[in-house]
Amino acid sequence: VINFIRLYEHLDYMESVKFLAQRAGIAMPDEEGDNGIKRRTRVYEMNREAGRFFHKYLYSPAGKEGLDYLYGRGLTDHTIRTYGLGYAPDTWDSLKKHMNSLGYSDSEMEEASLLSKSSKSGNYFDFFKYRVMFPFIDVRGNIVGFSGRVIGGDDNRKYLNTKATAVYNKSTFLYSLNHAKNSGESVLIMCEGNLDVVTLHQAGFDNAVASMGTALTTEQIRLLGRYTKELVLCYDNDNAGQLATQRALEMLNNTEFTVRVLKLPRRLVDGEYVKQDADDFIKFQGAPAFERLLSGSENGVEFRMSQVAAKYDLRSDQGRIEYTAEISQVLSELDNAVEREVYANRA
C-alpha cells in the first residue's frame, strides 16, 4: 500500500506513510512528542476552516471586488476552485469572529499566523485584510498557509504571506507542487509568483511551481529532486528577475539537475518596452507562444554568456578585454572540455 501511494501520488517513502496515517486518522511518532502532533493537527484544522471561509466569502456579494479582480486577471471559476482561491474582506475581525464561533482561541490563531496582536492595546485582529487569497497546499493536500494579494486599502505590501508556523516554513515549501508532481511532465517550470503559476496551469502547463517570497533554497532543491531532474527557470525579465535567475543557477551548479532558462521578451507599450512576467505573456501572447519559448529556452551557460555580453561595449578594446576575461571565468567552470570549446567558439 505504501509503495502504491508512493508511485501514484509521487511522494517519497516517509511522505507516503504520513499520507496514509493522516487519511486513517493514526498519529505517527513525532520528535516533538504528542504535543507537537496535536499542535500541527490543530493548525491544519484552522487553516482548512480559514480556507473555506475565504473561498466562501469570495463568492458572496461582499466578495465581488475580489472575484472581479480574479476575473480581470483572466482566471476562470474552474481555476479559482481548483486552487481554492478566496477573499479576505476589508474588515479587522471577520475571520476572527468566524473562527471563534468554531471554538478556536485568539492565541492559537496568532500562532497559526491567522491573527495579529496589537503591541499597544493587546487586541487581536485579522492578519489578512482586503486581499485575494492563495492557499498554500502541501503535497499531501494540507493547507499549510496563505498568500494574500492586496487589492485595496492603505497597505503598500503587494503580497503578504503566512509567517513561520508549526506547519509552514517558506524555505521548504513550493507553491503548486501538489499539482505539478502529478502533471506527468519530466520537467518542472520555476516561476517567481503564485499568479504566474495559476495562469500557466490554466493555460495547460500543470508543471509550474514557485517559491514564496524567498530565493531558491537548498531545501527546495532537495524537494524538487524527488520529482524531476530537469528545471526551466522562468523568472521576470526585470533586473530583480535576472538576478534571481543568476542566483538560482549558482545554487543549481554542480547538482544533478539539467537547467534551462526561459527568457521572457519585453513588451512594447505606448512606444516603450516594459517588463512582463509569465502571467503577462500568457495573457497577451497566448499558450502556443509560451510553448515555443519553452522549447527554445537556453541552458544555464548560454544565459550567463548573454548576460556577460550585455554588460560590455564590445566595440571598444577595453570592453572586449573585460568581456573575454569574464567569459573565460564562465567557461572555466564547465567540466566538459568539448563543451568549453563549443561555447568558447560561440563567444
Side-chain angles (χ1 to χ4, degrees):
V1 174
I2 293 172
N3 194 51
F4 173 81
I5 292 297
R6 184 179 67 81
L7 296 172
Y8 188 79
E9 294 289 342
H10 299 280
L11 302 173
D12 68 10
Y13 183 85
M14 284 309 301
E15 287 291 343
S16 302
V17 174
K18 292 175 183 177
F19 178 94
L20 288 165
Q22 180 178 314
R23 184 169 179 174
I26 299 171
M28 286 188 61
D30 187 271
E31 60 184 14
E32 299 177 32
D34 290 342
N35 288 335
I37 296 172
K38 292 177 181 177
R39 185 175 170 219
R40 283 199 298 277
T41 300
R42 191 72 168 169
V43 176
Y44 285 139
E45 291 172 353
M46 286 188 284
N47 284 340
R48 184 175 64 248
E49 292 298 339
R52 288 172 175 168
F53 172 83
F54 292 138
H55 185 69
K56 185 176 180 181
Y57 212 103
L58 179 69
Y59 280 99
S60 72
K64 183 178 184 303
E65 189 173 3
L67 191 58
D68 285 345
Y69 171 82
L70 293 175
Y71 286 158
R73 298 304 296 257
L75 300 186
T76 65
D77 287 314
H78 176 73
T79 299
I80 291 170
R81 291 192 172 96
T82 296
Y83 278 88
L85 306 187
Y87 178 66
D90 185 19
T91 64
W92 292 107
D93 60 0
S94 293
L95 178 65
K96 177 182 180 302
K97 288 179 178 177
H98 172 73
M99 298 294 283
N100 285 157
S101 72
L102 297 175
Y104 298 106
S105 69
D106 292 345
S107 59
E108 64 180 343
M109 282 190 283
E110 182 188 16
E111 286 187 7
S113 196
L114 294 172
L115 297 184
S116 291
K117 186 178 183 180
S118 171
S119 58
K120 294 182 178 179
S121 67
N123 294 328
Y124 290 95
F125 55 91
D126 291 354
F127 184 75
F128 297 102
K129 173 179 178 288
Y130 213 173
R131 293 175 179 272
V132 169
M133 301 299 294
F134 296 79
F136 292 162
I137 302 175
D138 68 13
V139 293
R140 288 181 282 136
N142 300 304
I143 297 179
V144 297
F146 298 90
S147 178
R149 203 284 186 195
V150 69
I151 58 172
D154 55 5
D155 192 336
N156 58 8
R157 293 170 295 180
K158 186 176 180 181
Y159 281 95
L160 180 63
N161 296 339
T162 291
K163 297 178 181 179
T165 70
V167 301
Y168 175 69
N169 183 335
K170 67 180 182 180
S171 67
T172 61
F173 177 78
L174 289 167
Y175 183 72
S176 198
L177 185 60
N178 58 311
H179 292 293
K181 70 182 179 68
N182 295 323
S183 67
E185 296 289 340
S186 61
V187 60
L188 293 183
I189 305 170
M190 280 293 305
C191 300
E192 276 194 59
N194 45 18
L195 196 54
D196 292 333
V197 171
V198 175
T199 300
L200 284 173
H201 179 94
Q202 181 172 280
F205 302 94
D206 300 339
N207 53 330
V209 299
S211 54
M212 292 288 91
T214 181
L216 191 62
T217 66
T218 301
E219 293 89 345
Q220 289 167 339
I221 291 173
R222 190 178 300 117
L223 181 59
L224 287 165
R226 297 181 189 174
Y227 306 104
T228 185
K229 294 297 180 283
E230 296 180 66
L231 291 176
V232 173
L233 304 180
C234 181
Y235 294 147
D236 295 359
N237 59 9
D238 57 5
N239 290 335
Q242 298 302 304
L243 183 59
T245 300
Q246 291 178 19
R247 287 176 176 170
L249 287 172
E250 291 170 5
M251 290 288 294
L252 292 162
N253 189 34
N254 296 324
T255 67
E256 56 191 342
F257 289 94
T258 299
V259 186
R260 292 181 287 136
V261 178
L262 191 154
K263 292 175 68 175
L264 293 165
R266 291 179 177 268
R267 183 163 50 89
L268 187 62
V269 178
D270 298 329
E272 294 186 7
Y273 284 97
V274 299
K275 81 164 190 98
Q276 61 180 343
D277 51 27
D279 175 56
D280 295 325
F281 190 89
I282 291 290
K283 185 183 301 179
F284 293 104
Q285 275 79 44
F290 186 85
E291 180 64 54
R292 289 193 293 272
L293 274 184
L294 190 61
S295 299
S297 52
E298 303 173 326
N299 66 33
V301 179
E302 290 168 335
F303 172 81
R304 292 180 63 190
M305 288 173 63
S306 65
Q307 293 298 101
V308 172
K311 290 168 57 177
Y312 301 108
D313 180 4
L314 300 182
R315 295 169 298 182
S316 69
D317 291 338
Q318 184 61 32
R320 288 193 294 272
I321 291 171
E322 293 173 350
Y323 164 78
T324 301
E326 188 164 350
I327 282 293
S328 296
Q329 176 60 37
V330 172
L331 296 175
S332 69
E333 296 173 8
L334 288 176
D335 295 328
N336 189 300
V338 175
E339 283 189 342
R340 279 201 301 272
E341 184 176 353
V342 169
Y343 287 119
N345 289 335
R346 186 174 302 177

